Amino acid sequence: MTEPGVSLVTLVTLDIAGTSVDEGGAVYVALRDTVEKHLGKPIPDDRFDRWKGTGKRQAIEGLLRESGVPAGKTVLDAVESDFTAMLLAAYRKTPPTALPGVHDAFGTLRQRGIKVVLQTGYSRKIAEPLLEQVGWEIGRDIDGVITSDQVRMSRPSPYLIFRAMELAGVQSVDEVLVGGDTPNDLRAGTNAGARYVLGVLTGAHDAATLRLEPHTHILDSAADIPGLLG
């Protein structure tokens, strides 16, 4: 495990749900309910868990395919639309909130000249109202957001991270810290070659699960990142 030291990081790019924002796990309830409704049968836990942290359209396609159901564009569009409607309704009923200390951590990082770009398996239709509910604005609280519908492949592919680098004007992965609460977040950071790849324990998985994946650090919370970077 890499030890804390003098940071060369100029970009911190983090997942949203479970890493930066507490949304009570509503995303996985909505995803599971929507896909199981279409399948007409339950999804085994191990199969469902493999798709946590990926793009939600990608997860829907994968869960349907692995359950033996063809997933053409028409079917994917319909299931994704149902999922989006269910999740947004859940967020209206119980608005997401910033995880404790994370907003202050973002402020500390940005004061040091480190850009903070969130990246997510959500589509823009979900990410924008979620951040509005939390009260975060681009340019004031964070430097940008990259959503899964902006890339050809979501996690564990590295493209969300590369788009975050492009948005932030960062050329070297050696200046990037990637963080998230799922194995697929850590795999994406590793596939991108990021200097720091860290898991946080505020979301979908525990430390034992995250430690099975390539990483540099496991932290209790993303709020601890400024202290890690020194």
Side-chain angles (χ1 to χ4, degrees), residues 8-230:
L8 298 178
V9 168
T10 60
L11 170 64
V12 167
T13 179
L14 303 176
D15 174 51
I16 295 181
T19 301
S20 306
V21 170
D22 181 4
E23 47 85 70
V27 56
Y28 295 121
V29 173
L31 179 62
R32 190 164 203 157
D33 285 355
T34 304
V35 176
E36 288 184 343
K37 179 180 177 181
H38 182 82
L39 291 173
K41 61 182 180 182
I43 302 168
D45 288 344
D46 59 341
R47 182 184 302 166
F48 185 78
D49 286 346
R50 285 199 302 272
W51 292 96
K52 289 182 177 179
T54 64
K56 299 307 170 280
R57 185 179 179 90
Q58 184 175 321
I60 291 166
E61 189 278 331
L63 289 167
L64 292 175
R65 173 173 38 80
E66 290 180 356
S67 301
V69 174
K73 184 178 184 303
T74 300
V75 170
L76 280 176
D77 287 347
V79 178
E80 184 181 27
S81 178
D82 289 346
F83 160 74
T84 299
M86 182 180 293
L87 184 58
L88 290 177
Y91 286 169
R92 286 191 293 271
K93 183 177 180 181
T94 307
T97 59
L99 281 160
V102 168
H103 183 261
D104 288 343
F106 288 175
T108 298
L109 292 169
R110 297 180 77 233
Q111 286 173 2
R112 295 181 187 174
I114 299 172
K115 293 188 177 180
V116 176
V117 177
L118 304 182
Q119 33 92 12
T120 177
Y122 289 155
S123 67
R124 182 71 55 174
K125 287 182 180 179
I126 297 173
E128 287 184 345
L130 184 157
L131 293 177
E132 287 176 5
Q133 287 178 306
V134 175
W136 289 349
E137 293 183 10
I138 294 173
R140 185 191 69 188
D141 305 288
I142 56 176
D143 294 288
V145 179
I146 303 297
T147 56
S148 62
D149 47 357
Q150 293 180 266
V151 296
R152 289 289 298 272
M153 291 184 289
S154 187
R155 307 181 190 117
S157 297
Y159 305 115
L160 286 169
I161 297 162
F162 292 156
R163 286 298 299 269
M165 291 174 62
E166 182 181 20
L167 186 153
V170 174
Q171 297 184 17
S172 172
V173 291
D174 200 44
E175 299 176 17
V176 178
L177 180 152
V178 175
D181 65 303
T182 71
N184 280 315
D185 288 301
L186 302 186
R187 292 167 191 156
T190 300
N191 288 337
R195 181 183 185 87
Y196 293 97
V197 178
L198 59 90
V200 298
L201 304 181
T202 48
H205 293 281
D206 60 17
T209 301
L210 294 179
R211 286 195 180 106
L212 296 174
E213 305 298 329
H215 64 277
T216 61
H217 300 82
I218 303 295
L219 301 181
D220 289 335
S221 168
D224 299 330
I225 291 173
L228 170 72
L229 296 181

